[in-house]
Amino acid sequence: YQRRVRVGMERYVEEFERKKNNNKDTPIAILAIQVLNDFVSKSDVGTLQQLLEQLKELSTQLKATAGTSNTSVVSGCDLFVRFITLSRGQNDPSSEDILECKGFDRVRKFLMDRGDTFLERLRKSRQKIAQLAYPFITDGVTVLTVNVSRVVLQLLVKAHQKSKKFKVLVTQSEEGPLMVKELNAQGIQATQILDASIGYVMERVSFVLVGAVGVVENGGLINKIGTYPVAVMARSLNKPFYVAVESFKFYRNYPLSQLDLPNDARYEDPEEKNHPEVDFTPPKYINKLFTDLGVLTPSAVSDELMKLYI
Amino acid sequence: MIGPSHLHNHSEAVVSTQSTGNFIKHTKVQVAKISPDLTESVAKEELQQSCDNFFRENIYLAGKSITEKAVERVVDGDTILIYKKSQLILHILLEAKARNKNFRVMVVDSRPDLSGVQSCERLTAAGIPCSYVYINSCTYVMKKVTKVMLAADALLANGYVLGPVGTALIGLISSTYNKPVIVCCETYKFSERVQTDSILYNELADPDSMLKTLNEEDTPVSNWRDCPNTRLVNLVYDTTPPALVSIVITEIAELPCTSAPVVLRRGAVKM
């Protein structure tokens, strides 16, 4: 029986790999949650406990294939499991209570409905962020961003569609040219700069706007390596530093230093430990976070996480 | 017959620090809850039982939970700075040693009570290498320190940490040298009060204890009571702003200092 379950899981891991290759634009965490949702509908267990255990096992396996974005996979899967097992819809007191379901098939249907609701909310999260945050981009601003981030891209495109005139500077980092290309294709004036020149340009920048790989419990940011120096530079010249991030990236970890991040979050290959892919920006350098839960300060992140977990 | 007012008089006599404040509140509630039909001895027993429960849940078990979380923060090669003597911090360090972590401790102490000496004794007895300095040399040793672990007497609603006098100094120096400051505090110590400086609410300990010198000699201020312009002020507490604290470890969660009011608001503190 154990082996049958494991073989079942390999199929889902393969499915996840396939989705990753076909959907470069969708956040990896959403793909993982889609796989989990699929698993809930097709799983053949008889009790909720068993199902939760299997979901946990599957999340761990998906995380292992996710590279350095695994923090968002971990946080996304964790939130998915918590959301679907919440006994009653938070804003809908008339919705069915999981405790009143008779028979596991009813429970399974309940979980699937909740899972679909969750996915629907997540899919809309980037739109919500763009809607909330585009007023921060006013005419004549120069925005500095680090590497490529689809959330930031969607935000800037929205602002452009609302006829705001602004310029964007993108640091080269690893995939900066891709970001420049996408922005230019949308008609936004974007220039690529060397990472070494952030000191040189910072006086002309209005604010810094970055995406995130994950947001930690104290409101700190995990993002592509090179973000921390930009944050320190921005603070030094009193330029606001904004982060655009979906709420499923809120990660339950509380690092006090760069080395406190787990190895598999930092390195592409934890065995070889080449060069870290991400760095940690402490919350004191961050002014605001644009999330689908609203515009938050770093200290509010802990509040939101407590609402979800405690 | 014991009633809440009777208790009130006695609790005024007890040195009412903030952390015992919550316990006294809890006991008054329990006294009020006791059914008047019970006999006095049964009522007393019930009250004792509820006090024991409070102790067990909020102090003993909470301490164990905090130790579990805090021990994870101690890594091999650390030099941990502690201030004076705290049961909780000592417990954490002894537990870390029991788990075979390889670390050193820097004990910072200050007059007049010099309780850091006892810390040093307990740690060296367990085989943990210790150094001992007075608070005056804190800046001198801070370079070699990797983390700072402090205990709190209370956590105020605006995130300020109330601790033994000298804690704020340690917090400030650690922050300047960019060392993480870890505050360990059980939730029963969380207070609804708001305070931004150390003078608004404080306590005075025995001023004559400040006169003790190492050689038991007379100091120039020994007859301070005769001088109308001289007073000795032996403050007990001081407040550390939340910006200087990296993390607060409680039994419910690891929080940033600014989230203390959230714990109160969510009613997580069991009264």
Side-chain angles (χ1 to χ4, degrees):
Chain A
Y1 174 68
Q2 278 296 89
R3 203 138 49 94
R4 183 154 62 106
V5 166
R6 206 116 301 184
V7 165
M9 288 210 185
E10 266 167 30
R11 177 158 63 95
Y12 291 99
V13 178
E14 274 163 24
E15 162 110 13
F16 179 56
E17 294 277 351
R18 211 166 11 99
K19 277 187 197 260
K20 266 198 297 180
N21 290 329
N22 295 342
N23 297 307
K24 294 286 179 158
D25 272 347
T26 321
I28 199 171
I30 291 188
L31 300 174
I33 292 167
Q34 279 174 348
V35 170
L36 287 185
N37 206 21
D38 207 22
F39 182 83
V40 170
S41 64
K42 300 208 179 87
S43 154
D44 55 358
V45 292
T47 68
L48 190 58
Q49 268 304 104
Q50 269 181 306
L51 182 62
L52 291 180
E53 271 170 27
Q54 285 188 356
L55 280 175
K56 209 166 156 196
E57 165 77 36
L58 185 56
S59 311
T60 320
Q61 293 194 10
L62 294 181
K63 172 191 166 187
T65 67
T68 47
S69 310
N70 62 37
T71 49
S72 64
V73 170
V74 169
S75 54
C77 293
D78 210 9
L79 282 167
F80 172 75
V81 171
R82 284 198 81 84
F83 189 85
I84 62 173
T85 51
L86 253 181
S87 72
R88 192 183 291 274
Q90 273 172 331
N91 297 323
D92 187 7
S94 63
S95 68
E96 202 178 2
D97 193 328
I98 195 174
L99 298 170
E100 287 167 14
C101 292
K102 290 186 171 53
F104 193 67
D105 282 328
R106 291 291 298 276
V107 173
R108 191 200 305 280
K109 182 168 179 313
F110 179 89
L111 294 175
M112 281 165 59
D113 285 340
R114 302 276 292 161
D116 288 334
T117 316
F118 189 65
L119 269 174
E120 202 42 48
R121 269 198 210 175
L122 290 192
R123 265 189 265 271
K124 294 208 185 111
S125 54
R126 278 188 186 162
Q127 263 174 287
K128 269 200 213 164
I129 293 170
Q131 184 63 31
L132 264 174
Y134 84 81
F136 282 82
I137 302 170
T138 51
D139 280 326
V141 296
T142 305
V143 182
L144 175 64
T145 187
V146 172
N147 206 35
V148 65
S149 160
R150 270 161 261 283
V151 187
V152 172
L153 183 63
Q154 196 160 342
L155 214 178
L156 295 174
V157 166
K158 178 94 189 190
H160 184 69
Q161 284 166 355
K162 297 276 178 179
S163 306
K164 310 270 183 169
K165 310 262 176 299
F166 59 94
K167 289 196 290 204
V168 184
L169 299 172
V170 184
T171 67
Q172 189 176 12
S173 200
E174 211 178 351
E175 291 176 294
L178 179 62
M179 185 74 166
V180 175
K181 198 168 80 142
E182 300 274 340
L183 285 167
N184 283 335
Q186 297 282 344
I188 302 171
Q189 187 186 351
T191 325
Q192 192 179 300
I193 59 169
L194 288 176
D195 293 65
S197 61
I198 52 166
Y200 180 78
V201 302
M202 192 58 81
E203 59 193 31
R204 280 177 280 146
V205 162
S206 313
F207 61 83
V208 183
L209 174 64
V210 301
V213 169
V215 171
V216 290
E217 257 179 292
N218 55 3
L221 171 70
I222 304 178
N223 199 21
K224 186 75 188 155
I225 198 160
T227 310
Y228 184 27
V230 175
V232 176
M233 193 69 223
R235 169 54 59 107
S236 166
L237 268 71
N238 284 322
K239 305 289 179 183
F241 187 89
Y242 301 134
V243 180
V245 60
E246 306 98 314
S247 62
F248 61 78
K249 287 181 179 164
F250 284 12
Y251 180 54
R252 288 209 80 189
N253 190 346
Y254 201 125
L256 296 177
S257 71
Q258 300 297 330
L259 300 176
D260 280 343
L261 293 176
N263 274 346
D264 51 16
R266 273 187 286 155
Y267 301 103
E268 202 60 65
D269 184 354
E271 305 299 312
E272 269 191 51
K273 288 198 198 177
N274 299 330
H275 193 280
E277 298 276 323
V278 295
D279 63 20
F280 165 64
T281 305
K284 65 180 181 186
Y285 297 105
I286 301 172
N287 284 83
K288 290 188 184 44
L289 292 112
F290 303 139
T291 75
D292 47 309
L293 299 171
V295 178
L296 306 173
T297 56
S299 39
V301 171
S302 165
D303 201 350
E304 292 296 323
L305 274 170
M306 272 211 242
K307 270 197 233 169
L308 292 167
Y309 286 102
I310 296 177
Chain B
M1 194 58 196
I2 298 171
S5 54
H6 188 93
L7 202 63
H8 184 77
N9 294 335
H10 281 251
S11 62
E12 296 271 293
V14 167
V15 173
S16 168
T17 63
Q18 194 49 51
S19 39
T20 62
N22 282 336
F23 171 65
I24 289 169
K25 246 195 264 183
H26 168 264
T27 318
K28 283 188 186 170
V29 166
Q30 296 301 317
V31 167
K33 270 192 199 167
I34 289 177
S35 154
D37 307 328
L38 299 170
T39 63
E40 186 163 323
S41 55
V42 175
K44 273 191 193 172
E45 226 180 83
E46 251 188 47
L47 198 60
Q48 268 186 316
Q49 187 65 35
S50 76
C51 289
D52 282 340
N53 282 342
F54 184 92
F55 167 73
R56 196 182 140 72
E57 278 176 21
N58 286 310
I59 303 178
Y60 178 63
L61 289 177
K64 289 186 89 168
S65 176
I66 293 174
T67 307
E68 278 303 316
K69 297 190 169 87
V71 162
E72 301 295 313
R73 299 276 170 185
V74 179
V75 295
D76 284 337
D78 260 345
T79 304
I80 302 184
L81 189 143
I82 68 172
Y83 183 56
K84 287 184 138 168
K85 175 166 181 268
S86 156
Q87 290 284 45
L88 183 58
I89 303 291
L90 283 179
H91 194 250
I92 294 168
L93 295 175
L94 294 172
E95 179 66 27
K97 182 68 183 175
R99 295 188 191 188
N100 293 321
K101 303 219 180 190
N102 200 0
F103 62 97
R104 294 166 41 208
V105 176
M106 179 75 65
V107 180
V108 175
D109 204 4
S110 75
R111 289 179 61 223
D113 50 319
L114 294 178
S115 56
V117 177
Q118 295 169 45
S119 279
C120 236
E121 284 170 356
R122 285 198 62 188
L123 293 169
T124 44
I128 303 171
C130 280
S131 303
Y132 176 93
V133 292
Y134 281 159
I135 197 165
N136 318 53
S137 3
C138 192
T139 45
Y140 185 73
V141 298
M142 194 54 80
K143 271 201 291 273
K144 296 276 178 68
V145 165
T146 56
K147 358 183 112 83
V148 177
M149 275 199 176
L150 300 171
D153 278 307
L155 208 78
L156 305 177
N158 57 352
Y160 277 67
V161 177
L162 201 77
V165 66
T167 309
L169 197 66
I170 308 272
L172 186 61
I173 297 169
S174 314
S175 233
T176 314
Y177 282 83
N178 211 28
K179 310 290 175 183
V181 175
I182 304 169
V183 169
C184 300
C185 183
E186 300 94 328
T187 52
Y188 80 89
K189 289 178 176 166
F190 280 33
S191 160
E192 279 152 10
R193 260 198 351 206
V194 170
Q195 193 177 326
T196 51
D197 60 67
S198 310
I199 304 292
L200 178 73
Y201 171 92
N202 213 322
E203 289 180 21
L204 290 174
D206 179 16
D208 289 322
S209 59
M210 289 168 74
L211 293 174
K212 268 195 305 208
T213 64
L214 288 170
N215 304 335
E216 310 287 328
E217 285 167 355
D218 267 341
T219 64
V221 287
S222 294
N223 55 345
W224 63 275
R225 288 197 160 88
D226 302 327
C227 305
N229 294 327
T230 310
R231 289 189 60 183
L232 297 189
V233 175
N234 190 359
L235 287 175
V236 178
Y237 302 116
D238 69 14
T239 53
T240 309
L244 302 179
V245 176
S246 313
I247 181 176
V248 174
I249 303 184
T250 68
E251 72 268 21
I252 335 179
E254 294 174 324
L255 330 154
C257 224
T258 44
S259 290
V262 178
V263 170
L264 282 174
R265 185 166 31 101
R266 292 177 59 75
V269 188
K270 296 178 283 291
M271 280 296 117

Short mmCIF file of all heavy atoms in Angstrom, two decimals, chain A residues 97 104 142 162 172 178 183 208 211 240 260 298-299:
data_model
loop_
_atom_site.label_atom_id
_atom_site.label_comp_id
_atom_site.label_asym_id
_atom_site.label_seq_id
_atom_site.Cartn_x
_atom_site.Cartn_y
_atom_site.Cartn_z
N ASP A 97 -19.93 23.78 6.88
CA ASP A 97 -18.89 23.56 7.89
C ASP A 97 -18.30 22.18 7.67
O ASP A 97 -19.04 21.21 7.56
CB ASP A 97 -19.54 23.65 9.28
CG ASP A 97 -18.51 23.75 10.39
OD1 ASP A 97 -17.42 23.16 10.25
OD2 ASP A 97 -18.80 24.41 11.39
N PHE A 104 -16.53 10.67 4.03
CA PHE A 104 -15.31 11.33 3.56
C PHE A 104 -15.48 11.92 2.17
O PHE A 104 -14.80 12.88 1.80
CB PHE A 104 -14.13 10.36 3.60
CG PHE A 104 -12.81 11.08 3.42
CD1 PHE A 104 -12.34 11.95 4.39
CD2 PHE A 104 -12.06 10.93 2.26
CE1 PHE A 104 -11.16 12.64 4.22
CE2 PHE A 104 -10.87 11.61 2.08
CZ PHE A 104 -10.41 12.47 3.07
N THR A 142 11.31 58.10 -11.53
CA THR A 142 12.28 57.12 -12.02
C THR A 142 12.28 55.97 -11.03
O THR A 142 12.56 56.17 -9.84
CB THR A 142 13.69 57.73 -12.10
OG1 THR A 142 13.63 58.90 -12.90
CG2 THR A 142 14.66 56.75 -12.73
N LYS A 162 -2.50 53.31 -17.35
CA LYS A 162 -3.23 54.45 -16.79
C LYS A 162 -2.59 55.77 -17.19
O LYS A 162 -2.82 56.79 -16.54
CB LYS A 162 -3.28 54.34 -15.26
CG LYS A 162 -4.01 53.13 -14.76
CD LYS A 162 -5.50 53.37 -14.69
CE LYS A 162 -6.22 52.13 -14.24
NZ LYS A 162 -7.66 52.30 -14.14
N GLN A 172 21.39 44.80 -13.89
CA GLN A 172 21.68 43.69 -14.78
C GLN A 172 21.45 42.35 -14.08
O GLN A 172 20.80 41.48 -14.62
CB GLN A 172 23.12 43.80 -15.26
CG GLN A 172 23.45 42.79 -16.35
CD GLN A 172 24.85 42.98 -16.87
OE1 GLN A 172 25.63 43.71 -16.27
NE2 GLN A 172 25.16 42.35 -17.97
N LEU A 178 16.16 40.57 -19.64
CA LEU A 178 14.81 40.06 -19.94
C LEU A 178 13.75 41.06 -19.51
O LEU A 178 12.79 41.33 -20.23
CB LEU A 178 14.61 38.72 -19.20
CG LEU A 178 13.26 38.04 -19.36
CD1 LEU A 178 13.02 37.68 -20.81
CD2 LEU A 178 13.21 36.78 -18.51
N LEU A 183 9.68 45.25 -20.67
CA LEU A 183 9.17 46.60 -20.44
C LEU A 183 9.13 47.40 -21.73
O LEU A 183 8.14 48.07 -22.03
CB LEU A 183 10.04 47.33 -19.40
CG LEU A 183 9.85 46.89 -17.95
CD1 LEU A 183 10.96 47.43 -17.07
CD2 LEU A 183 8.51 47.37 -17.40
N VAL A 208 12.67 52.74 -5.09
CA VAL A 208 13.08 51.41 -5.53
C VAL A 208 11.88 50.47 -5.38
O VAL A 208 11.19 50.50 -4.37
CB VAL A 208 14.24 50.87 -4.66
CG1 VAL A 208 14.71 49.53 -5.17
CG2 VAL A 208 15.39 51.87 -4.65
N GLY A 211 10.56 42.82 -6.55
CA GLY A 211 9.68 41.70 -6.26
C GLY A 211 10.28 40.90 -5.11
O GLY A 211 11.16 41.39 -4.41
N PRO A 240 12.59 55.81 -0.83
CA PRO A 240 11.71 54.72 -0.38
C PRO A 240 12.03 53.41 -1.06
O PRO A 240 12.41 53.38 -2.23
CB PRO A 240 10.31 55.21 -0.79
CG PRO A 240 10.44 56.65 -1.06
CD PRO A 240 11.85 56.91 -1.46
N ASP A 260 21.37 32.68 8.37
CA ASP A 260 20.25 31.97 9.00
C ASP A 260 19.28 31.37 8.01
O ASP A 260 18.41 30.59 8.37
CB ASP A 260 19.48 32.91 9.94
CG ASP A 260 20.17 33.08 11.28
OD1 ASP A 260 21.03 32.23 11.59
OD2 ASP A 260 19.86 34.03 12.01
N PRO A 298 6.43 46.45 7.23
CA PRO A 298 7.07 45.18 7.62
C PRO A 298 6.54 44.62 8.94
O PRO A 298 6.41 43.41 9.08
CB PRO A 298 8.55 45.53 7.71
CG PRO A 298 8.71 46.70 6.81
CD PRO A 298 7.44 47.47 6.86
N SER A 299 6.22 45.48 9.91
CA SER A 299 5.76 44.92 11.19
C SER A 299 4.36 44.31 11.07
O SER A 299 3.98 43.49 11.90
CB SER A 299 5.80 45.98 12.29
OG SER A 299 5.40 47.22 11.79
#
